[in-house]
Amino acid sequence: MIDLLIRGASLPDGRQGQDIAIRGGRIVDVAPGIDAEAGRVLDAGGHLASPPFVDAHFHMDATLSLGLPRMNVSGTLLEGIALWGELRPTLTREAVVDRALRYCDLAVSKGLMAVRSHVDVSDPALVTVEALLEVRERVAPYLDLQLVAFPQDGYFRHPDAAKALERALDMGVDVVGGIPHFERTLEAGRASVEALCRIAAERGLRVDMHCDETDDPLSRHVETLAEQTLRFGLEGRVAGSHLTSMHSMDNYFVSKLIPLMAEARLAAIPNPLINIMIQGRHDTYPKRRGLTRIPELIEAGIDVALGQDCVMDPWYSMGTGDLLDVAHMAVHATQMGSQDDKRTLFDAVTTVPARILGLEGYGLAPGCHADLVILQATDPAEAIRLRPARLAVIRRGRVVAETAPEIPRLSLEGRPGTVDPAAYAPRHARQGGA
């Protein structure tokens, strides 16, 4: 007897007509035509069953705070930071918890079940840290929340940040963060990378730094981050987020930088929605859009995950909690439009960020946690194109969210009575190519 049997699913690797058997919160078998009795049978109807979406870069302490204490009129990064500085002293633990829990509700409805959130430690009161530690515990049954100690106002630039960051780690925050390009000088930025990598090495923690989130081609802290990763033996445990200055760097420097990043097994976490919105603000035309060199990084074998970054906060007034929105934007911004490219970008919001976060038991193989989402689409490329309904979201073998299929009804003489958006994929397109 098994708890849940999913019948007739398509899988991200191209297999079709697969059944997934689940017992005790784990996947016990994946094969066509599984013959077993089940407490519940769920017919996938040929739709895509995927491991859950994973957001490798988010700011949950600020989410849903749009308009507090005022709107970001310029839409710039610096005004957003200034706005957050105005809001931060007024934050209460209860308000941060409430907004974060509401966001997690939305996230789960979209099939998003793991989030790495940066938590501002610039305020020595650490209200945001206390709040998100509480949220991490409360959402654990349905969402994995990994927290990064993030000195928003600069590790050296803010007088209390260094001590507050250590205290946050002592309280149980998971990852060491940083923002070297926001320090007062290039040298201070370099020194902050060294200091923070040292802390991570001493504590046995991962590192995720906001790095070179600027259009300045001379902002090259990612080079220091890769070098310090090697120095402290942190290979495979360090990520550079944003990396937008790479968009503006000269090609010769990048030809040396990317191999160094690959040697250090440094992960890259661009955030297409926010990067495109915020960067290039000093340009007229041509206008840079500030997205890092995603295709080149992937080609070099570097793990690239796409993050949501913000949803309705001082930096970004939009956002839905849907990682397929992020992948959809990445397809356009990177011109990664082939079927294979889109499958790669689907991995960038599922399996790759799961690897960066070090999630245990992630995947669709026997023995993995029974965490998955069934999408009203036939394959990963179509999922990005459609951003479809999440027909079922399953956590540890339990259905935690369901959405009815999107089937519009038509009243057109001589035409079908309904339309299924998932039925429009040309069959030849599934074989690859453009």
Side-chain angles (χ1 to χ4, degrees):
M1 184 73 176
I2 58 176
D3 302 324
L4 175 65
L5 180 62
I6 300 170
R7 289 207 179 276
S10 298
L11 303 185
D13 62 10
R15 285 179 289 167
Q16 298 180 353
Q18 299 294 303
D19 296 348
I20 304 171
I22 295 167
R23 182 172 57 237
R26 297 269 181 176
I27 296 173
V28 295
D29 196 9
V30 179
I34 294 175
D35 184 14
E37 292 188 9
R40 178 177 179 182
V41 176
L42 200 162
D43 184 6
H47 292 120
L48 178 65
S50 168
F53 297 109
V54 178
D55 188 352
H57 188 103
F58 194 64
H59 292 266
M60 198 172 286
D61 51 357
T63 195
L64 305 184
S65 64
L66 181 65
L68 300 174
R70 56 185 177 81
M71 297 293 287
N72 184 337
V73 177
S74 69
T76 62
L77 172 64
L78 291 181
E79 185 175 354
I81 292 174
L83 254 174
W84 177 245
E86 295 173 25
L87 175 60
R88 189 170 54 208
T90 71
L91 294 174
T92 65
R93 175 171 173 165
E94 293 73 20
V96 173
V97 168
D98 178 66
R99 286 193 290 264
L101 289 175
R102 289 186 62 221
Y103 179 78
C104 291
D105 296 340
L106 178 65
V108 169
S109 77
K110 299 293 186 180
L112 171 56
M113 282 189 272
V115 177
R116 174 181 280 182
S117 175
H118 295 253
V119 188
D120 188 6
V121 298
S122 298
D123 180 0
L126 296 180
V127 171
T128 54
V129 173
E130 292 179 349
L132 288 195
L133 286 171
E134 177 182 340
V135 171
R136 185 178 68 184
E137 182 177 351
R138 291 176 64 174
V139 302
Y142 52 89
L143 185 145
D144 295 306
L145 179 58
Q146 190 175 95
L147 302 178
V148 184
F150 175 48
Q152 172 77 75
D153 294 344
Y155 180 72
F156 289 129
R157 185 170 179 171
H158 191 285
D160 298 315
K163 290 182 179 179
L165 183 139
E166 295 270 11
R167 284 176 49 222
L169 298 175
D170 290 341
M171 292 166 67
V173 171
D174 308 284
V175 181
V176 177
I179 185 167
H181 58 277
F182 198 64
E183 301 292 350
R184 295 193 183 279
T185 66
L186 288 174
E187 173 54 28
R190 187 212 65 76
S192 75
V193 173
E194 179 181 3
L196 291 162
C197 285
R198 184 187 302 277
I199 290 170
E202 291 173 348
R203 289 177 174 260
L205 300 177
R206 297 174 184 267
V207 177
D208 188 338
M209 291 196 192
H210 286 61
C211 202
D212 303 323
E213 190 182 1
T214 169
D215 295 321
D216 179 5
L218 298 180
S219 183
R220 297 174 172 181
H221 296 294
V222 63
E223 180 184 45
T224 304
L225 183 59
E227 189 270 335
Q228 294 295 322
T229 297
L230 291 167
R231 176 188 175 191
F232 287 105
L234 295 169
E235 295 95 321
R237 293 161 52 193
V238 179
S241 290
H242 294 289
L243 305 179
T244 60
S245 70
M246 288 183 70
H247 182 101
S248 302
M249 291 175 183
D250 69 83
N251 291 332
Y252 179 74
F253 180 76
V254 172
S255 74
K256 297 194 304 177
L257 174 62
I258 290 180
L260 175 62
M261 294 171 65
E263 181 185 353
R265 291 163 48 209
L266 196 71
I269 308 175
N271 301 279
L273 299 173
I274 279 68
N275 293 159
I276 291 169
M277 178 69 80
I278 286 179
Q279 302 310 132
R281 293 301 182 120
H282 293 282
D283 294 352
T284 53
Y285 291 95
K287 182 182 284 288
R288 291 167 292 180
R289 302 319 300 267
L291 196 61
T292 196
R293 303 188 186 208
I294 292 175
E296 292 85 352
L297 292 168
I298 293 173
E299 179 66 23
I302 292 170
D303 277 344
V304 176
L306 306 177
Q308 173 82 56
D309 198 7
C310 306
V311 170
M312 292 184 285
D313 67 12
W315 294 273
Y316 188 62
S317 62
M318 300 177 68
T320 63
D322 188 349
L323 269 291
L324 287 177
D325 282 347
V326 178
H328 189 271
M329 179 61 78
V331 167
H332 293 84
T334 62
Q335 300 176 330
M336 292 178 66
S338 76
Q339 297 298 97
D340 287 340
D341 284 340
K342 283 179 271 190
R343 294 186 190 102
T344 296
L345 292 175
F346 188 86
D347 290 344
V349 293
T350 52
T351 57
V352 176
R355 186 161 60 242
I356 292 171
L357 269 63
L359 297 182
E360 181 271 329
Y362 179 93
L364 292 182
C368 292
H369 289 303
D371 299 343
L372 61 153
V373 55
I374 300 176
L375 299 146
Q376 190 184 349
T378 53
D379 61 43
E382 280 294 282
I384 292 177
R385 183 180 74 86
L386 293 168
R387 291 157 291 168
R390 278 59 169 170
L391 302 177
V393 179
I394 298 162
R395 172 75 169 187
R396 302 298 195 263
R398 185 173 71 89
V399 177
V400 294
E402 295 180 83
T403 304
E406 180 191 351
I407 306 289
R409 296 177 180 175
L410 299 179
S411 297
L412 304 175
E413 188 174 348
R415 302 306 301 155
T418 60
V419 171
D420 181 356
Y424 279 73
R427 292 185 179 180
H428 65 269
R430 302 180 189 178
Q431 306 305 313

